[in-house]
Amino acid sequence: MQIAVDVLLFAGVAIVAVSAWAALLLRGVFVRLHYLSPVTSLGGPLIGIALGLENGWGLTTGLILLVVGLLAVSGPVVAVATTRVVAQREAVVLEESPQ
Amino acid sequence: MVWYVASLVLLLGGLVPATLIGSRRGPTDRLVGLILTSAIVVLSMLTLAQAYGQPMYLIVPLVLAVLSVAGVLVFTRLLGPR
């Protein structure tokens, strides 16, 4: 069990770290926005599952999974909203595009 | 010990580049840095709460996860079409 926890934890941490450095080193806002998704949708859940396995069933795990779930759901929403703003500022889409 | 190491890697490997993104170039690049920083800080707080063995510390990442979304959406509104 401890091996599974460690593997999941460090897989999640590695994904987050690599995504962050890739977002820093690559140019362009649209490219950087792509590297938000692995952090919230892959790295976060892996870390959350590792924490859940470590703590077992209980309120602590429930709270951890709630936080990770919120992050996973809100990540794409925030990324899309930001992409839309960037596209409007760079005149890629019409300013009157549907809300 | 594992959780301390994971927290350290998250902070150095994740928060440093996210902060750099959020401190350079135009407002939209900085917003991307802010989003990344918020997500990484939430995850760091989860691992730090585990490292310290204090489940009560989990309230902070919960609140941050909710408020960071609202904050980013406010910024997208403010950075809207000129």
Side-chain angles (χ1 to χ4, degrees):
Chain A
M1 178 69 86
Q2 189 60 41
I3 295 173
V5 169
D6 292 346
V7 167
L8 287 170
L9 175 65
F10 285 104
V13 168
I15 287 169
V16 170
V18 169
S19 296
W21 281 102
L24 175 65
L25 296 174
L26 294 175
R27 303 284 178 182
V29 180
F30 291 115
V31 174
R32 285 180 168 165
L33 280 166
H34 279 90
Y35 288 95
L36 296 178
S37 298
V39 173
T40 58
S41 302
L42 194 56
L46 285 175
I47 293 172
I49 292 170
L51 284 163
L53 288 176
E54 179 76 5
N55 289 297
W57 289 111
L59 286 175
T60 303
T61 299
L63 190 51
I64 291 166
L65 293 178
L66 176 64
V67 172
V68 166
L70 277 173
L71 212 56
V73 168
S74 66
V77 170
V78 158
V80 166
T82 307
T83 304
R84 186 168 176 272
V85 165
V86 173
Q88 286 175 337
R89 287 173 67 90
E90 295 186 2
V92 175
V93 295
L94 294 173
E95 291 182 6
E96 307 85 48
S97 64
Q99 294 288 335
Chain B
M1 187 64 178
V2 170
W3 302 101
Y4 284 112
V5 173
S7 302
L8 185 65
V9 173
L10 273 176
L11 290 173
L12 290 179
L15 200 56
V16 168
T19 307
L20 285 174
I21 294 170
S23 58
R24 302 188 306 175
R25 298 182 177 269
T28 50
D29 284 273
R30 291 169 186 246
L31 183 59
V32 172
L34 176 67
I35 298 167
L36 202 54
T37 304
S38 302
I40 292 170
V41 167
V42 167
L43 296 175
S44 303
M45 286 183 178
L46 290 178
T47 54
L48 281 171
Q50 182 65 31
Y52 292 133
Q54 297 287 341
M56 71 178 83
Y57 292 173
L58 294 172
I59 295 171
V60 180
L62 176 64
V63 172
L64 179 60
V66 174
L67 291 182
S68 66
V69 175
V72 168
L73 292 179
V74 166
F75 275 113
T76 58
R77 188 72 175 169
L78 293 173
L79 291 174
R82 285 170 267 194

